[in-house]
Amino acid sequence: MEKVIIIRYAEIHLKGKNRGYFEHMFSVNLERSLRGIRHELHRTNGRYLVAKFDENRAEEIAARISRVFGIHSYSLGYRTESAIESIFEAAKLVGPQSGTFKVETHRGDKCYPMTSPEVSREIGARLLAEFPALTVDVHTPQSAVYVDIRENGFALVFGSFEKGVGGMPVSTSGKGLLLISGGIDSPVAGYMMAKRGMSVHYLHFHSYPYTSDMAKEKVISLAKLLSRYALTEELTTVSVTHIQEEIHEKCAAELNVTLLRRFMFRIAERIARNRGDQCLITGESLGQVASQTIEGMTSSNAVVSLPVLRPLVGFDKEEIITRAKEIGTFETSILPYEDCCTVFLPDHPAIKPKLSFIEEEEAKLNVEALVEEALAGAQRLKLY
Ligand code: ATP
Ligand code: MG
């Protein structure tokens, strides 16, 4: 008998002619999420088994698995020989010792000498004899013991189904470049796209020395937290200090944010194209702040030709916060470090800037040279 984790994928996404690729990426992603932990990964009958791991680390492995996109459900349990004695030994370990319960058996091996109901009755009877505080309730039991008899002389025995995170395997839906700030929203935006199977690279703009090393560390922490799901290994950072100084010196103050955002998009697009990323991703939500009006979004879209995905555009702040808490980025996002957007922040940023006004002000700058200078200083940082 050995402890295993049984993983079932969200089958619906794995149908059709892409199935092989989906399955391949799914197992690659499982391996990536389990890196650093000794284990074996087996594929059996439309599910995956994690075996031969350090049993003291079972909880940690389960936690990692709970964050792999494409998983429908998973169970901690045992793989045993399919003899009824062995199944019972495992059932004692996964099952309850008091309260109401039922045994549910699935039989993949149709040659097995007992039928599924017979196995359930036999294991149930043995558990009742072993633990007198148990009673059977097949309709609304407090706990259950699941027995899955496989063709190869083995059985899987487990006590519950844990809900997986769903979604599609990362790397099966193209590549995107996430503009990640230290805020609450952009990590959630990255999560949403990775959940749909996108491979998400990270780009962060800073304005050192106006923004501190602590602010950068915060973004690195956020990127690592997001990577528990997105499995992204690198963060690109770019300084926009020189751009902000130029804008501050030469352009109308109320356009500071608008102009900076257009630079961010231009730089992001250049990096994305170099990397083969097919879109930009931001954490913008309609109307949340002055620059996130439809006019603001239009003015930044105007300088790029790649699509800009804004998965949070219709979300309320409350909804974004709830999701940020679920994925574990919220506590880090609210640490009080400055973002480059808050440096030189005007008292009254333009809410609905006219494109003609923006272009007039921008004409005072050498846009291409500023972008080139920013790109020349880009740094790539390994997250793990
Ligand atoms: P967030 O919580 O993601 O910071 P926000 O509500 O603070 O969002 P803004 O600061 O206006 O909104 O930023 C809007 C979007 O622009 C962010 O979600 C992010 O995608 C991008 N962005 C903002 N600042 C940066 C930055 N310093 N580096 C990279 N991207 C940024
Ligand atoms: Mg922000």
Side-chain angles (χ1 to χ4, degrees):
M1 176 161 66
E2 67 172 325
K3 207 168 201 166
V4 292
I5 298 175
I6 303 144
I7 297 169
R8 305 164 199 90
Y9 47 66
E11 185 114 21
I12 189 160
H13 300 308
L14 303 179
K15 296 245 162 75
K17 62 180 191 299
N18 284 335
R19 186 183 178 117
Y21 182 63
F22 274 94
E23 289 182 342
H24 168 70
M25 281 322 303
F26 185 61
S27 55
V28 167
N29 293 345
L30 277 173
E31 291 289 11
R32 285 162 83 191
S33 78
L34 293 177
R35 83 173 66 196
I37 298 183
R38 179 174 56 81
H39 69 279
E40 280 178 15
L41 184 65
H42 301 288
R43 170 93 199 286
T44 74
N45 306 82
R47 50 201 81 164
Y48 288 83
L49 278 191
V50 183
K52 302 265 187 294
F53 52 84
D54 178 355
E55 294 196 7
N56 297 322
R57 299 183 79 178
E59 291 299 318
E60 186 186 347
I61 295 174
R64 293 199 195 183
I65 283 171
S66 74
R67 295 188 286 259
V68 176
F69 292 128
I71 293 183
H72 181 259
S73 71
Y74 62 95
S75 305
L76 256 113
Y78 290 89
R79 187 165 86 135
T80 73
E81 288 172 14
S82 60
I84 201 81
E85 291 300 331
S86 311
I87 292 175
F88 175 55
E89 287 308 312
K92 278 196 292 191
L93 295 175
V94 303
Q97 299 190 357
S98 64
T100 60
F101 81 110
K102 70 166 178 182
V103 181
E104 207 174 288
T105 303
H106 171 84
R107 205 175 49 137
D109 177 8
K110 300 298 177 201
C111 301
Y112 193 73
M114 296 164 79
T115 64
S116 297
E118 282 169 359
V119 173
S120 296
R121 269 199 300 276
E122 177 65 24
I123 297 297
R126 290 187 186 212
L127 287 169
L128 285 172
E130 182 88 14
F131 303 116
L134 279 179
T135 38
V136 170
D137 177 351
V138 290
H139 300 296
T140 51
Q142 291 165 321
S143 355
V145 172
Y146 299 95
V147 178
D148 187 3
I149 298 173
R150 310 305 322 168
E151 283 87 348
N152 49 10
F154 283 95
L156 301 171
V157 184
F158 51 95
S160 63
F161 289 83
E162 309 300 330
K163 201 167 152 32
V165 72
M168 312 224 286
V170 164
S171 298
T172 59
S173 297
K175 294 169 70 177
L177 181 62
L178 173 69
L179 281 72
I180 187 168
S181 70
I184 296 168
D185 307 331
S186 42
V188 176
Y191 172 91
M192 303 284 289
M193 296 321 301
K195 184 167 196 276
R196 296 306 304 155
M198 188 165 270
S199 180
V200 177
H201 187 74
Y202 311 141
L203 170 62
H204 175 66
F205 296 105
H206 64 86
S207 3
Y208 190 81
Y210 298 106
T211 54
S212 63
D213 277 336
M214 296 301 279
K216 187 171 163 191
E217 286 306 318
K218 176 185 170 181
V219 172
I220 294 172
S221 304
L222 277 176
K224 285 183 175 166
L225 287 171
L226 178 56
S227 283
R228 297 182 307 168
Y229 297 90
L231 304 170
T232 308
E233 294 174 19
E234 249 186 37
L235 163 73
T236 300
T237 62
V238 170
S239 169
V240 286
T241 310
H242 61 294
I243 297 176
Q244 289 185 277
E245 286 171 345
E246 281 277 301
I247 294 174
H248 184 62
E249 192 185 318
K250 297 187 176 156
C251 306
E254 72 259 39
L255 286 187
N256 272 5
V257 176
T258 310
L259 293 174
L260 176 61
R261 297 197 63 75
R262 281 161 64 96
F263 275 98
M264 286 182 171
F265 273 49
R266 287 185 181 101
I267 297 164
E269 176 168 59
R270 295 273 284 270
I271 290 174
R273 287 201 186 277
N274 265 333
R275 292 180 30 81
D277 294 331
Q278 300 153 291
C279 62
L280 306 182
I281 304 163
T282 78
E284 290 163 295
S285 152
L286 187 63
Q288 195 187 87
V289 292
S291 62
Q292 296 178 22
T293 54
I294 184 61
E295 290 81 0
M297 294 184 202
T298 305
S299 106
S300 7
N301 280 11
V303 297
V304 294
S305 54
L306 279 181
V308 182
L309 302 186
R310 297 177 169 90
L312 306 183
V313 74
F315 278 47
D316 294 344
K317 194 75 189 186
E318 273 309 307
E319 294 171 305
I320 300 171
I321 288 174
T322 302
R323 184 52 70 92
K325 287 180 177 167
E326 278 167 19
I327 67 180
T329 51
F330 181 73
E331 295 302 327
T332 304
S333 288
I334 59 174
L335 293 174
Y337 298 113
E338 67 292 343
D339 181 53
C340 67
C341 291
T342 58
V343 179
F344 302 124
L345 190 68
D347 291 340
H348 299 289
I351 294 173
K352 297 180 177 180
K354 275 219 172 69
L355 201 54
S356 56
F357 180 38
I358 296 168
E359 284 169 354
E360 213 169 279
E361 289 301 299
E362 210 170 60
K364 300 174 180 170
L365 307 170
N366 186 341
V367 172
E368 184 52 29
L370 289 168
V371 168
E372 284 296 340
E373 188 180 341
L375 289 169
Q379 292 188 335
R380 289 162 70 152
L381 231 148
K382 275 265 170 238
L383 294 169
Y384 55 86

